[in-house]
Amino acid sequence: MLGHGADPEGAAPLDAALADTVRRTGASAGGVYLLDESAPVLGLVVLSGMPEEVAWPWRRVPLNAGVPVSEAVREDRLVWVGSQDDMARVYPRAAASLPYRFALAAAPLPGGARCLGALFLLWPASHPVEATRRERGHISSAARRIARVIGDAPALPPVPEHPRHIPVAMAGRPRGGQRLRAAADYVDRLPEAAIGLDLEGRITYLAPAAAALLGMDAGRLLGTRPWQSLPWMDNTVVEDHYRTAVISRDPVTFTTLRPPDTWLRFQLYPDASGISARVTRVRSPEGGVPESSGTYAARGLVSAPPTPSGRLYQLVHLAAALTETVAVRDVVDLVADQVLPAFGADGLVLSAADAGRLRITGHHGYDQATIDRLDGLPLDTDITPAGEVLASGVPSFFTSPAELARRFPDAPRISAKQAWAFLPLVVSGRPVGCCILSYDRPHDFSADERAVLTSLAGLVAQALDRARLYDTTRDLAHGLQQALLPRSLPALPGLDAAARYLPASRGMDIGGDFYDVIRIDATTAAAVIGDVQGHNVSAAALMGQVRTAIHATVGAPPGQVLARTNRVLSELETDLLVSCLYAHIDLVRQEAVMASAGHPPPLLHHPGRPPGVMEIEPGPLLGVETVSRYPTTVLPLPPGTTFALYTDGLVEIPGADPDRAALGLSNCLAEYSGQDLDHLIDVLLRHARPTPHYTDDIAVLLLRTAPPPA
């Protein structure tokens, strides 16, 4: 990794290309992300027009995150966010930690066979909400130019620990020393209290009148941030007003108290080079402070609403990210990818309380031998501080091995780490685990860092507890589903079979879709596929009962099998309905006799004939009426015939015509008919569902009769 401010070989062309893009597009800020080769993460490589501190939560962005740059890379398209309202509606997590007005574009960087990363650009709040077609074209062209610059380099730039920060050159401004001195002298002679800030918030210029109002010598203030060098400005409200000016490029006005009784009004005027501030003395709020003409205004420390800033800004971002985690693996990955870089940590051990012991659920930055030694420690262990902090609920921070050894002599020898934060994970007074952040070098924990880590531990605890419950439920559902479906399909000479079940993307990973192939004798078999209404345990349980009823009547004519199963279902007095397709396959006669209970018809391909969807007369769904008739249809099965039974999740896609989708799948079946059946199922699934998100369960059963002799 590159250190802060590093200038690797070949960086100059990329930096120049970004600065040129920001100028040409009229953006106020921009940056370039590259895809990290070691993980599915986008890393911020170079930044312009925005302080690194403001961009901190976005230095490393998981590729699957719900933010514009990730979406631009995943979907290979330009993403435009024209307002804060749009951000809150489409990307609520990003809006929670960026509560400012601006417009944003994110465009993928094309790299031939794969995407290299993304370009992002920010415009002031004054930019129109909608981008013109011409403007979108300019942004996409700029992304392609930057991609070519990256591609022409000898090697892809590594993703640094800190992004390089480059200025956007301001054309047409005098830079001569004599002119600058004359301008400074002119301002000094005015009675105005003027302050100049760079985009990082540091004071670059201070008029004598401003130093007098602030009550401190100019020499002590130059190069510092006001909220750090002036104790009475050290609050999140002041810093967040500065962030608002930097990101939104809007004038910002706020009033604050300089003890004991001096009220000062700050008017901030930002542009691409920094912020000009005007300071004036005003009456106290009780006496009536004049209303500000700026876009944003605050009445002082007492009445101003709290806003995310500094470490709170970090906490809001991480809290929003934790709400999106589902499984324990998600929690571990998020802490490793975002919490560790946020606090400069190098190692992570995340453990959960299980049967009186601490079981490690995830780790980063440790060798396996160390993890094996820590895994399974009792909750009251005194080998490390984990047991103590879990019992007391109070976190412990150790800045060096010597400090840790004074209380826990054996702990420093477990690893080569040099500093630790032991954070108890407690939910409603119940210990759920322990989170350990560690450092490769001694580390002093500031007061605000300890406060944020303590708050963050509570959020991690809730996310971990919720994720463990989800994993337990998912494993139970998965086990139940696997127990109800056949473990393997029977072998029958002259008939190949393959099947696949995919649960809906959201839910318990369980549903009522089922399939089966039942061997009757050496030349006959029954194939069945069905769909019980619902995606829950009740649907799965009923599916098991339906399969049992079909097995009990297998061998009878298909119409009778469905009629008898329907009577069984009626006696169960369930409110759920079932669709089903039953086929009796006779390899000697080379035919299949089919009956349908409201189920989608099979896809069919005969060798040398056009593919299609089989026409079959359906009967009513199982469970609709106590007595129902199910007509049958005969399907010829010449050698090499392939036909597919499936549930409606394969063809019923929101906004699409199921019949058209089925016809497209039949063409796909014919095109790949000579392939292995498992591979053919993969092809059908990719054709029907290009993304891994399924709104309904899917079951597919492929059958193929043996080809004719060569």
Side-chain angles (χ1 to χ4, degrees):
M1 291 296 184
L2 299 171
H4 182 55
D7 188 15
E9 183 181 356
L14 176 58
D15 295 354
L18 175 62
D20 182 65
T21 296
V22 172
R23 287 195 303 271
R24 285 174 178 267
T25 58
S28 56
V32 173
Y33 283 90
L34 291 182
L35 194 59
D36 195 331
E37 296 290 343
S38 61
V41 173
L42 291 168
L44 185 57
V45 175
V46 59
L47 181 68
S48 179
M50 179 188 295
E52 182 190 344
E53 183 183 28
V54 174
W56 167 85
W58 316 103
R59 287 185 302 175
R60 290 178 64 82
V61 179
L63 194 56
N64 61 356
V67 295
V69 290
S70 297
E71 187 167 302
V73 174
R74 288 197 311 269
E75 301 186 3
D76 192 27
R77 66 178 180 91
L78 172 67
V79 174
W80 174 263
V81 182
S83 67
Q84 178 65 13
D85 290 341
D86 290 346
M87 182 71 80
R89 185 178 65 255
V90 184
Y91 307 102
R93 171 182 155 194
S97 54
L98 284 175
Y100 311 110
R101 302 197 318 147
F102 59 88
L104 178 147
L109 302 177
R114 64 186 183 88
C115 185
L116 299 176
L119 163 72
F120 83 88
L121 297 168
L122 263 64
W123 285 266
S126 57
H127 190 285
V129 173
E130 296 294 334
T132 65
R133 183 175 180 180
R134 181 184 181 88
E135 188 174 20
R136 289 173 178 266
H138 287 330
I139 296 168
S140 298
S141 297
R144 289 193 293 270
R145 285 197 302 271
I146 289 176
R148 285 196 296 270
V149 169
I150 296 172
D152 291 341
L156 285 178
V159 177
E161 189 68 30
H162 296 271
R164 296 189 307 281
H165 191 276
I166 59 172
V168 180
M170 298 299 295
R173 294 197 174 183
R175 296 296 180 184
Q178 185 176 357
R179 291 183 178 182
L180 291 175
R181 182 65 259 171
D185 290 342
Y186 168 78
V187 176
D188 286 350
R189 288 190 291 268
L190 294 174
E192 289 282 332
I195 302 175
L197 304 169
D198 63 15
L199 292 179
E200 300 288 338
R202 292 183 291 264
I203 297 175
T204 57
Y205 173 78
L206 195 69
L213 281 180
L214 297 181
M216 186 176 290
D217 180 74
R220 297 176 58 188
L221 289 173
L222 286 173
T224 69
R225 294 178 172 90
W227 51 87
Q228 293 176 347
S229 53
L230 297 168
W232 49 275
M233 294 188 75
D234 183 15
N235 67 86
T236 59
V237 175
V238 170
E239 186 181 352
D240 198 62
H241 284 309
Y242 146 75
R243 292 179 184 272
T244 298
V246 169
I247 297 177
S248 299
R249 294 292 199 264
D250 269 342
V252 175
T253 299
F254 64 94
T255 303
T256 189
L257 174 66
R258 175 193 149 194
D261 55 7
T262 301
W263 288 90
L264 299 177
R265 182 170 63 183
F266 291 79
Q267 294 170 289
L268 310 182
Y269 301 95
D271 71 2
S273 64
I275 298 175
S276 297
R278 179 172 178 259
V279 188
T280 54
R281 188 193 301 265
V282 296
R283 296 188 303 275
S284 66
E286 290 75 15
V289 179
E291 287 296 335
S292 167
S293 60
T295 305
Y296 299 87
R299 289 297 191 107
L301 301 186
V302 176
S303 59
T307 48
S309 186
R311 290 292 184 182
L312 292 179
Y313 183 84
Q314 301 173 359
L315 185 59
V316 169
H317 172 76
L318 295 172
L322 282 167
T323 62
E324 297 181 359
T325 56
V326 177
V328 171
R329 186 70 254 171
D330 298 335
V331 178
V332 174
D333 290 344
L334 186 137
V335 174
D337 291 341
Q338 300 195 35
V339 175
L340 292 190
F343 296 93
D346 304 292
L348 162 73
V349 176
L350 193 63
S351 56
D354 181 18
R357 295 190 175 273
L358 284 169
R359 301 293 181 184
I360 294 178
T361 57
H363 59 90
H364 177 83
Y366 284 86
D367 58 71
Q368 191 58 47
T370 301
I371 295 301
D372 292 341
R373 186 175 180 185
L374 294 172
D375 192 20
L377 290 176
L379 294 182
D380 59 352
T381 179
D382 58 0
I383 297 178
T384 78
E388 180 181 285
V389 300
L390 202 55
S392 65
V394 179
S396 292
F397 302 91
F398 300 92
T399 61
S400 67
E403 182 180 351
L404 179 61
R406 283 195 290 269
R407 292 177 54 191
F408 300 90
D410 295 331
R413 293 195 291 269
I414 294 177
S415 70
K417 303 297 183 182
Q418 300 294 302
W420 300 263
F422 289 84
L423 308 173
L425 304 180
V426 181
V427 176
S428 301
R430 174 174 54 88
V432 298
C434 184
C435 178
I436 305 172
L437 303 185
S438 59
Y439 297 76
D440 291 340
R441 295 170 298 280
H443 179 82
D444 291 325
F445 296 91
S446 63
D448 66 331
E449 193 173 25
R450 295 179 185 226
V452 172
L453 283 172
T454 301
S455 300
L456 185 62
L459 298 173
V460 172
Q462 295 180 35
L464 181 64
D465 193 46
R466 183 180 65 247
R468 290 182 66 198
L469 177 61
Y470 171 84
D471 282 353
T472 300
T473 305
R474 182 191 59 189
D475 292 344
L476 175 62
H478 182 73
L480 175 60
Q481 186 82 54
Q482 295 304 310
L484 293 175
L485 291 175
R487 296 194 176 190
S488 61
L489 300 179
L492 193 68
L495 183 68
D496 291 335
R500 189 80 52 84
Y501 169 79
L502 293 176
S505 300
R506 294 189 177 274
M508 293 181 59
D509 283 359
I510 190 170
D513 289 17
F514 64 94
Y515 61 85
D516 210 344
V517 175
I518 307 165
R519 179 188 173 104
I520 299 175
D521 56 37
T523 60
T524 58
V528 61
I529 194 162
D531 184 358
V532 179
Q533 181 184 13
H535 311 103
N536 50 36
V537 174
S538 297
L542 183 60
M543 177 261 282
Q545 292 171 310
V546 171
R547 284 189 65 232
T548 301
I550 291 174
H551 273 260
T553 56
V554 72
Q560 293 184 24
V561 171
L562 292 185
R564 293 172 184 176
T565 304
N566 180 60
R567 285 197 294 272
V568 171
L569 199 61
S570 300
E571 293 172 0
L572 294 175
E573 297 183 351
T574 176
D575 294 330
L576 301 179
L577 302 177
V578 182
S579 72
C580 186
L581 180 68
Y582 181 91
H584 181 89
I585 302 170
D586 191 325
L587 297 177
V588 174
R589 294 186 177 184
Q590 295 186 349
E591 66 178 22
V593 181
M594 298 187 178
S596 171
H599 199 82
L603 309 177
L604 180 63
H605 176 243
H606 290 304
R609 296 177 60 184
V613 180
M614 182 179 174
E615 294 185 4
I616 184 170
E617 182 182 355
L621 294 170
L622 302 179
V624 173
E625 299 175 354
T626 304
V627 179
S628 296
R629 175 181 171 274
Y630 295 92
T632 59
T633 303
V634 178
L635 168 66
L637 294 179
T641 298
T642 304
F643 61 104
L645 313 182
Y646 56 93
T647 55
D648 56 8
L650 187 68
V651 294
E652 292 187 359
I653 303 169
D657 180 6
D659 294 337
R660 185 183 297 270
L663 187 59
L665 285 169
S666 68
N667 292 329
C668 193
L669 184 73
E671 182 179 355
Y672 294 88
S673 62
Q675 300 287 330
D676 173 79
L677 289 185
D678 283 312
H679 176 69
L680 183 51
I681 290 179
D682 292 333
V683 172
L684 294 175
L685 291 174
R686 284 197 302 268
H687 180 86
R689 302 285 183 166
T691 67
H693 302 292
Y694 308 102
T695 56
D696 194 4
D697 301 347
I698 297 175
V700 180
L701 174 61
L702 289 188
L703 299 162
R704 179 190 291 154
T705 58

